[in-house]
Amino acid sequence: MGTGKVPRDLSLDNELDSSQDLKQQETGELTENDHRINSSKITKQSFKEIEKAVAQPTYLASNSRNWIECCSDASDSPLKPVTYPKSKASNKRSLLPHQINQIYDELFQIHQKLRCETAAQQEFAEELQRREHFLVEREQLLSRHEMALTKIKGVEEEVLTRFQIIKEQHDAEVGHLTEVLKEKNKESKRLRSSFDAMKELNDNLKKQLNEVSEENRKMEIQAKRVQARLDNLQRKYEFMTIQRLKGNSHVAHEMKNLKQEKVPVSKTYKVPLNAQVYELLTVFMDWISVHHLSKLKSEESGMDGEKPLPKFASQRNDIQEKCVKLLPVMTEQLQWMPFVNVKLHEPFVKFIYWSLRQLDAGTQHSTMTSTLRRLGEDILKGVVTKGIQDNSLEHSVENKPKTAAFFKSSSLPLRFLSTLIVLKTVTQADYLAQAFDSLCLDLKTDEGKTLFLEYQAVPVIVNHLRISSKGILSNVIDSLLQMTVESESLQPFLEACSNTLFFRTCSVLLRTPKLDLQVLEKLSIILQKLSKIKSNKKLFELFTIHLMLQEIQRTTHPEHAFLCINLNSTLFNLGLTKCNSLASNASH
């Protein structure tokens, strides 16, 4: 567009220059014509005088000098003589005197020159008309070009507007597809981690099955040997008894009793029909849970790292041993919970939860692994009982199937406790993902936040805050992030996180190379709120978290404005940056 205007302007300038030259030429020609007109007037006057002289020949002699002077003046005029055909002049010379002939010739030459000038002026006028017509056509062409350029400019703006709209629609579609792809990748990673966990568990089970099969084979061989030896001893004993009690009539009766003792006795299991026993037990469980088991004395609560007193250590060990003994029994009792009133489920599950929490500070026995896994699966999936046979009656009576739902219960306290138990006992990624999704939904309510603080759930969540749990790491951060929403539970939650366990876990997580940006942003929100508590500055310095935050701030791209603002705010609360730098970064 810009390059097309330059030659058009140059052509207009050239045409203007040529028009100015033509005007100057016309001015010169007009002055020359004026001069010629003046000279023609002089010659006409002289011609009149010549006619008078011809009429008066006597006066010709006296004024001949004047005519000669006039003729000489006419000959000295700027008009140069031009050769023309002189056929008529030659005919008249013979009739007129020599001087008159000379004057006549000069006048005739002037007449011819005037005719030539008149013809030249007419040609010049025609040339001017042609040029004027050409200029009018050029102006019309330029106006048409200008109108065309204006239309092209409008079309260009419309095309750019439509292109921008199409680009925005494309960007929105790309963003939507990107989010869908992220969700699909997240689901794929979760399934892959679950598959890997199941594959690992399957391999372990195969290995255990092979070991148990081998051991079973050895035990069968040993049992056959022992059985053969036992048969030999029994035959020897019978033979000796017969020899010693020969002739005794009671020998046959004793042999029959020995054979009857070999038959195993079948046991029958019955459900206690007295419901008040369960109510009494649940009251005791609730009382023990609230006043004894919930009083956790964690070593991670402070910074001093002082060891507990021997008295409290022995009491804790006693409680842990009792919990280890009770948990298998409690797991077995879950099978009878469908026959118990639903109101009694919550105290029972609460007792199990606090018993599990008592095992956090101690060393769990290896024999508890299968028990805890079974406990978590029963709590997650629920318990379904088809029916129970009462052998005390003459005929068996079967009840309809009954169900006890814990994790899927409609009661929020029972569901919340069940979720925490699943997080404590289960290791499969898909089960953990379900538990964290349920926890995030429950924490959106004020009652869920209150239960989170009541059951001291921070250590349970922090236990999964590690890089080895990549599939659920984002869900773990989301559950903690729900507690940072402005509410009455925010300050107690921050105080519950102000311990060495939480800060040590965050320190290990921040040292992970190539940590996911979203996880880092969410963790920065929690750390920014914790940095507002002045006493936490020692914990930041103890685990060098402030140095890691400074390094992350230095290497973070300025496009990640949200992360930069949180890091600057955290460092400002710790007294490591100035207020003006924080304001400048916030403005950017």
Side-chain angles (χ1 to χ4, degrees), residues 361-380:
T363 304
Q364 296 184 10
H365 295 76
S366 59
T367 56
M368 293 291 294
T369 305
S370 59
T371 302
L372 295 180
R373 183 172 62 249
R374 180 186 173 189
L375 173 63
E377 291 178 354
D378 289 342
I379 292 292
L380 180 68

Side-chain angles (χ1 to χ4, degrees), residues 68-120:
I68 293 169
E69 289 177 358
C70 290
C71 292
S72 64
D73 293 334
S75 63
D76 293 335
S77 65
L79 297 174
K80 295 181 181 181
V82 180
T83 59
Y84 292 99
K86 298 181 180 181
S87 60
K88 294 182 180 181
S90 61
N91 294 326
K92 291 181 181 181
R93 279 182 185 179
S94 60
L95 298 177
L96 296 177
H98 175 71
Q99 294 177 352
I100 294 173
N101 291 332
Q102 187 178 1
I103 291 169
Y104 183 80
D105 292 337
E106 290 179 357
L107 291 175
F108 184 76
Q109 290 177 0
I110 291 171
H111 176 68
Q112 293 293 334
K113 288 181 181 179
L114 287 175
R115 289 179 63 184
C116 292
E117 291 294 335
T118 302

Side-chain angles (χ1 to χ4, degrees), residues 135-322:
L135 289 175
V136 170
E137 290 181 352
R138 290 295 300 274
E139 287 179 357
Q140 292 177 356
L141 181 62
L142 289 176
S143 63
R144 286 196 298 270
H145 287 177
E146 187 175 0
M147 291 174 63
L149 290 175
T150 304
K151 291 181 179 179
I152 291 172
K153 186 175 180 181
V155 172
E156 182 182 2
E157 292 178 354
E158 184 177 358
V159 169
L160 289 176
T161 304
R162 291 184 179 180
F163 177 75
Q164 187 67 24
I165 293 172
I166 293 172
K167 185 178 179 181
E168 291 177 356
Q169 292 177 353
H170 175 71
D171 293 339
E173 186 176 358
V174 170
H176 176 67
L177 293 177
T178 303
E179 292 296 329
V180 173
L181 183 60
K182 286 182 180 179
E183 292 295 330
K184 295 293 184 182
N185 290 335
K186 183 178 179 181
E187 186 68 21
S188 177
K189 289 180 180 178
R190 183 183 298 176
L191 292 175
R192 190 181 297 111
S193 60
S194 176
F195 176 75
D196 293 338
M198 292 177 65
K199 184 178 179 182
E200 184 179 357
L201 182 61
N202 188 25
D203 294 339
N204 293 332
L205 290 176
K206 284 183 179 179
K207 188 183 294 183
Q208 293 178 4
L209 180 61
N210 294 331
E211 293 176 356
V212 170
S213 299
E214 184 66 23
E215 187 176 358
N216 188 24
R217 188 178 62 82
K218 294 179 180 179
M219 294 296 292
E220 286 179 356
I221 295 173
Q222 187 176 359
K224 289 179 181 180
R225 293 176 182 175
V226 172
Q227 187 65 34
R229 186 177 179 184
L230 180 61
D231 292 340
N232 292 332
L233 290 175
Q234 283 182 348
R235 284 195 295 268
K236 185 178 180 180
Y237 176 72
E238 292 173 0
F239 178 76
M240 291 177 64
T241 304
I242 291 171
Q243 290 292 333
R244 193 166 40 190
L245 301 174
K246 194 174 183 178
N248 193 351
S249 61
H250 298 285
V251 174
H253 181 68
E254 291 179 0
M255 295 298 295
K256 290 181 180 179
N257 290 335
L258 290 173
K259 291 181 180 180
Q260 288 178 358
E261 290 177 356
K262 295 180 182 180
V263 179
V265 179
S266 61
K267 297 180 180 180
T268 58
Y269 297 93
K270 298 179 182 179
V271 182
L273 300 177
N274 190 0
Q276 294 180 355
V277 175
Y278 286 101
E279 294 179 3
L280 182 61
L281 288 174
T282 52
V283 170
F284 279 119
M285 288 178 183
D286 195 17
W287 176 62
I288 294 171
S289 300
V290 173
H291 294 282
H292 296 281
L293 297 179
S294 63
K295 308 297 182 181
L296 298 175
K297 301 183 183 299
S298 177
E299 296 180 359
E300 301 290 344
S301 59
M303 281 187 54
D304 300 333
E306 296 180 356
K307 295 183 179 179
L309 297 175
K311 180 180 179 181
F312 294 111
S314 61
Q315 290 179 357
R316 190 191 316 173
N317 292 333
D318 293 339
I319 293 175
Q320 290 173 3
E321 289 179 359
K322 292 176 181 178

Side-chain angles (χ1 to χ4, degrees), residues 335 338-339 383-389 398-403:
Q335 305 300 322
F339 302 98
V383 178
V384 179
T385 304
K386 294 182 179 180
I388 297 177
Q389 294 181 353
E398 292 188 0
N399 298 325
K400 294 182 179 180
K402 294 185 178 181
T403 305

Side-chain angles (χ1 to χ4, degrees), residues 346-572:
E346 182 182 347
F348 185 78
V349 176
K350 185 189 295 185
F351 186 83
I352 295 176
Y353 170 72
W354 287 118
S355 300
L356 289 171
R357 291 299 306 276
Q358 284 291 334
L359 300 179
D360 288 344
T363 304
Q364 296 184 10
H365 295 76
S366 59
T367 56
M368 293 291 294
T369 305
S370 59
T371 302
L372 295 180
R373 183 172 62 249
R374 180 186 173 189
L375 173 63
E377 291 178 354
D378 289 342
I379 292 292
L380 180 68
K381 298 177 181 178
V383 178
V384 179
T385 304
K386 294 182 179 180
I388 297 177
Q389 294 181 353
D390 192 352
N391 294 330
S392 62
L393 302 176
E394 293 181 356
H395 57 278
S396 62
V397 179
E398 292 188 0
N399 298 325
K400 294 182 179 180
K402 294 185 178 181
T403 305
F406 303 105
F407 178 73
K408 299 179 181 179
S409 174
S410 59
S411 174
L412 178 59
L414 179 58
R415 184 173 66 250
F416 200 90
L417 281 169
S418 303
T419 303
L420 295 179
I421 291 175
V422 171
L423 294 177
K424 285 289 297 176
T425 56
V426 175
T427 57
Q428 295 184 17
D430 53 345
Y431 292 164
L432 292 175
Q434 294 180 26
F436 276 111
D437 290 340
S438 175
L439 182 63
C440 290
L441 292 175
D442 292 339
L443 289 178
K444 291 181 180 180
T445 61
D446 294 336
E447 185 181 359
K449 293 182 176 65
T450 304
L451 293 173
F452 187 91
L453 297 174
E454 180 182 351
Y455 296 132
Q456 305 174 24
V458 172
V460 180
I461 308 301
V462 171
N463 188 35
H464 296 279
L465 193 63
R466 53 181 183 270
I467 195 60
S468 59
S469 305
K470 288 185 178 180
I472 59 172
L473 185 57
S474 179
N475 295 335
V476 177
I477 296 291
D478 289 338
S479 61
L480 292 175
L481 205 59
Q482 287 292 335
M483 292 298 298
T484 60
V485 179
E486 291 295 334
S487 63
E488 296 179 355
S489 305
L490 175 59
Q491 191 61 29
F493 169 73
L494 295 177
E495 292 175 358
C497 292
S498 301
N499 53 52
T500 56
L501 172 64
F502 185 83
F503 277 84
R504 182 186 294 113
T505 306
C506 291
S507 175
V508 174
L509 189 61
L510 289 174
R511 286 188 174 89
T512 304
K514 297 181 180 180
L515 186 63
D516 186 42
L517 179 62
Q518 293 183 354
V519 174
L520 188 58
E521 288 180 349
K522 295 174 183 177
L523 185 61
S524 66
I525 297 174
I526 301 173
L527 293 176
Q528 189 268 339
K529 293 185 180 293
L530 286 173
S531 64
K532 295 180 181 179
I533 302 176
K534 294 182 179 180
S535 59
N536 287 338
K537 184 177 181 181
K538 295 180 180 180
L539 291 170
F540 276 96
E541 295 175 352
L542 177 64
F543 297 101
T544 65
I545 295 179
H546 63 295
L547 299 178
M548 288 184 281
L549 294 179
Q550 288 178 338
E551 181 64 20
I552 294 172
Q553 181 195 28
R554 186 181 64 81
T555 57
T556 301
H557 197 276
E559 291 182 355
H560 305 143
F562 184 73
L563 178 59
C564 293
I565 291 173
N566 286 332
L567 293 175
N568 291 331
S569 178
T570 304
L571 296 174
F572 175 72

